[in-house]
Coordinates of all heavy atoms in Angstrom, one line a residue:
A1 N 0.8 -1.3 0.0 CA 0.0 0.0 0.0 C 0.8 1.3 0.0 O 0.3 2.4 0.1 CB -1.0 0.0 1.2
G2 N 2.1 1.1 0.0 CA 3.0 2.2 0.0 C 3.3 2.9 1.4 O 3.8 4.0 1.5
L3 N 3.0 2.2 2.5 CA 3.2 2.6 3.8 C 4.6 2.2 4.4 O 5.0 1.1 4.3 CB 2.1 2.1 4.7 CG 0.7 2.6 4.4 CD1 -0.4 1.7 5.1 CD2 0.6 4.1 4.5
A4 N 5.3 3.0 5.0 CA 6.6 2.7 5.7 C 6.3 2.2 7.0 O 5.9 2.9 8.0 CB 7.5 4.0 5.8
L5 N 6.5 0.9 7.1 CA 6.2 0.2 8.5 C 7.3 0.2 9.5 O 7.2 0.0 10.6 CB 5.8 -1.4 8.2 CG 4.7 -1.5 7.2 CD1 4.3 -3.1 7.1 CD2 3.6 -0.8 7.4
G6 N 8.5 0.4 8.9 CA 9.8 0.4 9.7 C 10.9 0.7 8.7 O 10.6 1.2 7.7
V7 N 12.1 0.2 9.1 CA 13.3 0.3 8.4 C 14.2 -0.9 8.4 O 14.1 -1.7 9.4 CB 14.1 1.5 8.8 CG1 13.3 2.8 8.5 CG2 14.5 1.4 10.1
L8 N 15.0 -1.0 7.5 CA 16.3 -1.9 7.5 C 17.4 -0.8 7.8 O 17.6 0.1 6.9 CB 16.5 -2.7 6.3 CG 17.9 -3.4 6.2 CD1 17.9 -4.4 7.3 CD2 18.0 -4.1 4.9
C9 N 17.9 -0.8 8.9 CA 19.0 0.2 9.2 C 20.4 -0.4 9.6 O 20.5 -1.5 10.0 CB 18.4 1.1 10.4 SG 17.8 0.2 11.9
V10 N 21.3 0.5 9.5 CA 22.8 0.2 9.7 C 23.3 1.3 10.5 O 23.1 2.5 10.2 CB 23.4 0.0 8.4 CG1 24.9 -0.3 8.5 CG2 22.8 -1.1 7.4
S11 N 24.2 0.9 11.4 CA 24.9 1.9 12.1 C 26.4 1.5 12.4 O 26.6 0.3 12.5 CB 24.2 2.2 13.4 OG 24.2 1.2 14.4
S12 N 27.1 2.5 12.7 CA 28.5 2.4 13.1 C 28.9 3.3 14.2 O 28.4 4.4 14.3 CB 29.6 2.5 11.9 OG 29.5 1.3 11.2
R13 N 29.9 3.0 14.9 CA 30.4 3.9 16.0 C 31.3 4.9 15.5 O 31.7 5.9 16.3 CB 31.1 3.1 17.1 CG 30.2 2.2 17.9 CD 31.0 1.4 18.9 NE 30.1 0.5 19.6 CZ 29.8 -0.7 19.3 NH1 30.4 -1.3 18.2 NH2 29.0 -1.5 20.0
T14 N 31.6 4.9 14.2 CA 32.6 5.9 13.6 C 31.9 6.5 12.4 O 31.0 5.9 11.8 CB 33.8 5.3 13.0 OG1 33.5 4.2 12.1 CG2 34.7 4.7 14.2
P15 N 32.1 7.8 12.2 CA 31.4 8.5 11.1 C 31.9 8.0 9.8 O 33.0 7.4 9.7 CB 31.9 9.9 11.3 CG 33.1 10.0 12.1 CD 33.0 8.7 12.9
R16 N 31.0 8.3 8.8 CA 31.4 7.8 7.4 C 31.0 8.9 6.5 O 30.2 9.7 6.8 CB 30.5 6.6 7.0 CG 30.6 5.4 8.0 CD 31.8 4.5 7.7 NE 31.9 3.4 8.5 CZ 31.4 2.2 8.4 NH1 30.7 2.0 7.3 NH2 31.5 1.2 9.2
P17 N 31.5 8.7 5.2 CA 30.9 9.6 4.1 C 29.5 9.4 3.8 O 29.0 8.2 4.2 CB 31.9 9.4 2.9 CG 33.0 8.5 3.4 CD 32.5 7.9 4.8
A18 N 28.8 10.3 3.2 CA 27.4 10.0 2.8 C 27.5 8.9 1.8 O 28.5 8.5 1.1 CB 26.9 11.2 2.0
I19 N 26.4 8.1 1.8 CA 26.4 6.9 0.9 C 26.2 7.3 -0.6 O 25.7 8.4 -0.8 CB 25.3 6.0 1.3 CG1 23.8 6.6 1.1 CG2 25.5 5.4 2.7 CD1 22.7 5.6 1.4
D20 N 26.6 6.4 -1.5 CA 26.4 6.7 -2.9 C 25.1 6.0 -3.3 O 24.5 5.2 -2.6 CB 27.6 6.3 -3.7 CG 28.0 4.8 -3.6 OD1 27.0 4.0 -3.6 OD2 29.2 4.4 -3.7
D21 N 24.8 6.2 -4.7 CA 23.6 5.7 -5.3 C 23.5 4.1 -5.2 O 22.5 3.4 -4.9 CB 23.3 6.1 -6.6 CG 22.9 7.5 -6.7 OD1 22.5 8.1 -5.7 OD2 23.1 8.1 -7.8
G22 N 24.7 3.5 -5.4 CA 24.8 2.0 -5.4 C 24.6 1.4 -4.1 O 23.9 0.4 -3.8
Q23 N 25.1 2.1 -3.0 CA 24.7 1.6 -1.6 C 23.3 1.8 -1.2 O 22.7 1.0 -0.6 CB 25.7 2.4 -0.6 CG 27.1 2.0 -0.8 CD 28.1 2.9 0.0 OE1 27.9 4.2 -0.1 NE2 28.9 2.5 0.9
A24 N 22.7 3.0 -1.7 CA 21.3 3.3 -1.4 C 20.4 2.1 -2.1 O 19.6 1.6 -1.5 CB 20.9 4.6 -1.9
D25 N 20.8 1.8 -3.4 CA 20.0 0.9 -4.0 C 20.1 -0.5 -3.4 O 19.2 -1.4 -3.4 CB 20.5 0.8 -5.5 CG 20.0 2.0 -6.3 OD1 19.1 2.8 -5.9 OD2 20.6 2.2 -7.5

C-alpha cells in the first residue's frame, strides 16, 4: 500500500561519508 512500516537500518560507531547511489540501491 506504500506505507513505511519500519526500516532496515545500519549503524557504526565511527562517522562515514554520505552513501552513494549504489549503496542506497
Side-chain angles (χ1 to χ4, degrees):
L3 299 168
L5 307 187
V7 298
L8 173 61
C9 54
V10 177
S11 67
S12 282
R13 291 179 182 92
T14 56
R16 306 277 180 91
I19 63 171
D20 61 34
D21 290 343
Q23 291 170 310
D25 290 344

